[in-house]
Amino acid sequence: MALETGSLRNKYQELIDAAELKGVTNMQVRQQGSVMYIDGTAPSARVKQELWEIYGRIDPNYRAGDLVLNINSFETVEESLEEYEVVSGDNLSKIAGKYNLTWRDIYEANKDKIQDPDLIQPGWKLKIPKK
């Protein structure tokens, strides 16, 4: 059963609102038949990834087939990150404060390295996302 125009927009309203709030430019939201199209350019690779994460929460297996998310970014994920070398006495909150971020921002960017956010080691090179 296809969703009506209003209910399909309602389904993805959180994603549309987030794209607007996060500064996606040239955004176009349109529906053709039973498919919603969201196009635009994200200000960073991080914003693009955050939008895909929202989409993943709405449609966890991307199986509904009722959305085409076409968000571009001129920046690659690697370009949106700085590197910081952990020194003795550091913790994620302390590092985050230097970059006006939260500890969770740094943790999310380094999940491949950090298993426990309370345990980081001097010498580790952490990716620092740009705001």
Side-chain angles (χ1 to χ4, degrees), residues 94-106:
K94 183 177 176 183
I95 297 167
K98 294 177 184 180
Y99 295 93
N100 197 27
L101 298 168
T102 68
W103 71 267
R104 186 168 293 284
D105 293 329
I106 296 174

PDB file of all heavy atoms in Angstrom, residues 94-106:
ATOM      1  N   LYS A  94      37.867  16.603  28.334  1.00  0.00           N
ATOM      2  CA  LYS A  94      38.914  17.621  28.314  1.00  0.00           C
ATOM      3  C   LYS A  94      39.322  17.938  26.874  1.00  0.00           C
ATOM      4  O   LYS A  94      39.450  19.109  26.498  1.00  0.00           O
ATOM      5  CB  LYS A  94      40.124  17.126  29.118  1.00  0.00           C
ATOM      6  CG  LYS A  94      41.252  18.111  29.243  1.00  0.00           C
ATOM      7  CD  LYS A  94      42.349  17.532  30.133  1.00  0.00           C
ATOM      8  CE  LYS A  94      43.536  18.445  30.218  1.00  0.00           C
ATOM      9  NZ  LYS A  94      44.616  17.852  31.010  1.00  0.00           N
ATOM     10  N   ILE A  95      39.485  16.903  26.068  1.00  0.00           N
ATOM     11  CA  ILE A  95      39.846  17.103  24.657  1.00  0.00           C
ATOM     12  C   ILE A  95      38.716  17.828  23.941  1.00  0.00           C
ATOM     13  O   ILE A  95      38.949  18.781  23.188  1.00  0.00           O
ATOM     14  CB  ILE A  95      40.157  15.753  23.978  1.00  0.00           C
ATOM     15  CG1 ILE A  95      41.374  15.095  24.632  1.00  0.00           C
ATOM     16  CG2 ILE A  95      40.379  15.950  22.483  1.00  0.00           C
ATOM     17  CD1 ILE A  95      41.578  13.641  24.260  1.00  0.00           C
ATOM     18  N   ALA A  96      37.495  17.397  24.186  1.00  0.00           N
ATOM     19  CA  ALA A  96      36.334  18.003  23.527  1.00  0.00           C
ATOM     20  C   ALA A  96      36.242  19.487  23.841  1.00  0.00           C
ATOM     21  O   ALA A  96      35.906  20.294  22.967  1.00  0.00           O
ATOM     22  CB  ALA A  96      35.063  17.280  23.955  1.00  0.00           C
ATOM     23  N   GLY A  97      36.549  19.869  25.075  1.00  0.00           N
ATOM     24  CA  GLY A  97      36.497  21.270  25.469  1.00  0.00           C
ATOM     25  C   GLY A  97      37.430  22.148  24.651  1.00  0.00           C
ATOM     26  O   GLY A  97      37.122  23.306  24.366  1.00  0.00           O
ATOM     27  N   LYS A  98      38.561  21.599  24.233  1.00  0.00           N
ATOM     28  CA  LYS A  98      39.526  22.351  23.424  1.00  0.00           C
ATOM     29  C   LYS A  98      38.968  22.672  22.038  1.00  0.00           C
ATOM     30  O   LYS A  98      39.419  23.603  21.383  1.00  0.00           O
ATOM     31  CB  LYS A  98      40.823  21.552  23.263  1.00  0.00           C
ATOM     32  CG  LYS A  98      41.583  21.352  24.548  1.00  0.00           C
ATOM     33  CD  LYS A  98      42.815  20.498  24.312  1.00  0.00           C
ATOM     34  CE  LYS A  98      43.517  20.214  25.633  1.00  0.00           C
ATOM     35  NZ  LYS A  98      44.716  19.398  25.464  1.00  0.00           N
ATOM     36  N   TYR A  99      38.020  21.866  21.578  1.00  0.00           N
ATOM     37  CA  TYR A  99      37.476  22.007  20.221  1.00  0.00           C
ATOM     38  C   TYR A  99      36.015  22.439  20.217  1.00  0.00           C
ATOM     39  O   TYR A  99      35.357  22.404  19.173  1.00  0.00           O
ATOM     40  CB  TYR A  99      37.630  20.681  19.470  1.00  0.00           C
ATOM     41  CG  TYR A  99      39.066  20.307  19.234  1.00  0.00           C
ATOM     42  CD1 TYR A  99      39.744  19.487  20.130  1.00  0.00           C
ATOM     43  CD2 TYR A  99      39.755  20.790  18.129  1.00  0.00           C
ATOM     44  CE1 TYR A  99      41.068  19.146  19.928  1.00  0.00           C
ATOM     45  CE2 TYR A  99      41.080  20.454  17.920  1.00  0.00           C
ATOM     46  CZ  TYR A  99      41.735  19.639  18.820  1.00  0.00           C
ATOM     47  OH  TYR A  99      43.047  19.302  18.607  1.00  0.00           O
ATOM     48  N   ASN A 100      35.494  22.809  21.379  1.00  0.00           N
ATOM     49  CA  ASN A 100      34.083  23.210  21.497  1.00  0.00           C
ATOM     50  C   ASN A 100      33.153  22.090  21.020  1.00  0.00           C
ATOM     51  O   ASN A 100      32.191  22.323  20.282  1.00  0.00           O
ATOM     52  CB  ASN A 100      33.816  24.513  20.731  1.00  0.00           C
ATOM     53  CG  ASN A 100      32.517  25.155  21.154  1.00  0.00           C
ATOM     54  OD1 ASN A 100      32.047  24.970  22.281  1.00  0.00           O
ATOM     55  ND2 ASN A 100      31.914  25.896  20.248  1.00  0.00           N
ATOM     56  N   LEU A 101      33.467  20.874  21.427  1.00  0.00           N
ATOM     57  CA  LEU A 101      32.683  19.689  21.091  1.00  0.00           C
ATOM     58  C   LEU A 101      32.238  19.022  22.386  1.00  0.00           C
ATOM     59  O   LEU A 101      32.604  19.452  23.474  1.00  0.00           O
ATOM     60  CB  LEU A 101      33.530  18.695  20.277  1.00  0.00           C
ATOM     61  CG  LEU A 101      34.057  19.172  18.929  1.00  0.00           C
ATOM     62  CD1 LEU A 101      35.100  18.197  18.394  1.00  0.00           C
ATOM     63  CD2 LEU A 101      32.919  19.313  17.932  1.00  0.00           C
ATOM     64  N   THR A 102      31.480  17.945  22.255  1.00  0.00           N
ATOM     65  CA  THR A 102      31.153  17.116  23.406  1.00  0.00           C
ATOM     66  C   THR A 102      32.029  15.871  23.367  1.00  0.00           C
ATOM     67  O   THR A 102      32.559  15.510  22.305  1.00  0.00           O
ATOM     68  CB  THR A 102      29.675  16.683  23.405  1.00  0.00           C
ATOM     69  OG1 THR A 102      29.452  15.774  22.304  1.00  0.00           O
ATOM     70  CG2 THR A 102      28.749  17.892  23.297  1.00  0.00           C
ATOM     71  N   TRP A 103      32.167  15.208  24.503  1.00  0.00           N
ATOM     72  CA  TRP A 103      32.959  13.972  24.528  1.00  0.00           C
ATOM     73  C   TRP A 103      32.368  12.955  23.560  1.00  0.00           C
ATOM     74  O   TRP A 103      33.092  12.194  22.922  1.00  0.00           O
ATOM     75  CB  TRP A 103      33.058  13.401  25.948  1.00  0.00           C
ATOM     76  CG  TRP A 103      31.772  12.816  26.462  1.00  0.00           C
ATOM     77  CD1 TRP A 103      30.824  13.448  27.203  1.00  0.00           C
ATOM     78  CD2 TRP A 103      31.284  11.480  26.255  1.00  0.00           C
ATOM     79  NE1 TRP A 103      29.779  12.596  27.463  1.00  0.00           N
ATOM     80  CE2 TRP A 103      30.028  11.379  26.892  1.00  0.00           C
ATOM     81  CE3 TRP A 103      31.772  10.367  25.577  1.00  0.00           C
ATOM     82  CZ2 TRP A 103      29.274  10.210  26.873  1.00  0.00           C
ATOM     83  CZ3 TRP A 103      31.030   9.200  25.563  1.00  0.00           C
ATOM     84  CH2 TRP A 103      29.796   9.137  26.207  1.00  0.00           C
ATOM     85  N   ARG A 104      31.022  12.968  23.417  1.00  0.00           N
ATOM     86  CA  ARG A 104      30.363  12.008  22.530  1.00  0.00           C
ATOM     87  C   ARG A 104      30.738  12.251  21.059  1.00  0.00           C
ATOM     88  O   ARG A 104      30.878  11.310  20.293  1.00  0.00           O
ATOM     89  CB  ARG A 104      28.853  12.055  22.714  1.00  0.00           C
ATOM     90  CG  ARG A 104      28.145  10.971  21.905  1.00  0.00           C
ATOM     91  CD  ARG A 104      26.696  10.806  22.270  1.00  0.00           C
ATOM     92  NE  ARG A 104      26.464  10.286  23.598  1.00  0.00           N
ATOM     93  CZ  ARG A 104      26.612   9.008  23.962  1.00  0.00           C
ATOM     94  NH1 ARG A 104      27.022   8.133  23.103  1.00  0.00           N
ATOM     95  NH2 ARG A 104      26.353   8.635  25.190  1.00  0.00           N
ATOM     96  N   ASP A 105      30.924  13.521  20.668  1.00  0.00           N
ATOM     97  CA  ASP A 105      31.346  13.823  19.295  1.00  0.00           C
ATOM     98  C   ASP A 105      32.664  13.116  18.976  1.00  0.00           C
ATOM     99  O   ASP A 105      32.822  12.516  17.910  1.00  0.00           O
ATOM    100  CB  ASP A 105      31.541  15.335  19.094  1.00  0.00           C
ATOM    101  CG  ASP A 105      30.258  16.144  19.184  1.00  0.00           C
ATOM    102  OD1 ASP A 105      29.188  15.615  18.821  1.00  0.00           O
ATOM    103  OD2 ASP A 105      30.330  17.315  19.620  1.00  0.00           O
ATOM    104  N   ILE A 106      33.597  13.199  19.909  1.00  0.00           N
ATOM    105  CA  ILE A 106      34.908  12.579  19.691  1.00  0.00           C
ATOM    106  C   ILE A 106      34.796  11.061  19.756  1.00  0.00           C
ATOM    107  O   ILE A 106      35.378  10.346  18.943  1.00  0.00           O
ATOM    108  CB  ILE A 106      35.942  13.119  20.703  1.00  0.00           C
ATOM    109  CG1 ILE A 106      36.127  14.620  20.450  1.00  0.00           C
ATOM    110  CG2 ILE A 106      37.267  12.368  20.578  1.00  0.00           C
ATOM    111  CD1 ILE A 106      36.995  15.316  21.446  1.00  0.00           C
TER     112      ILE A 106
END
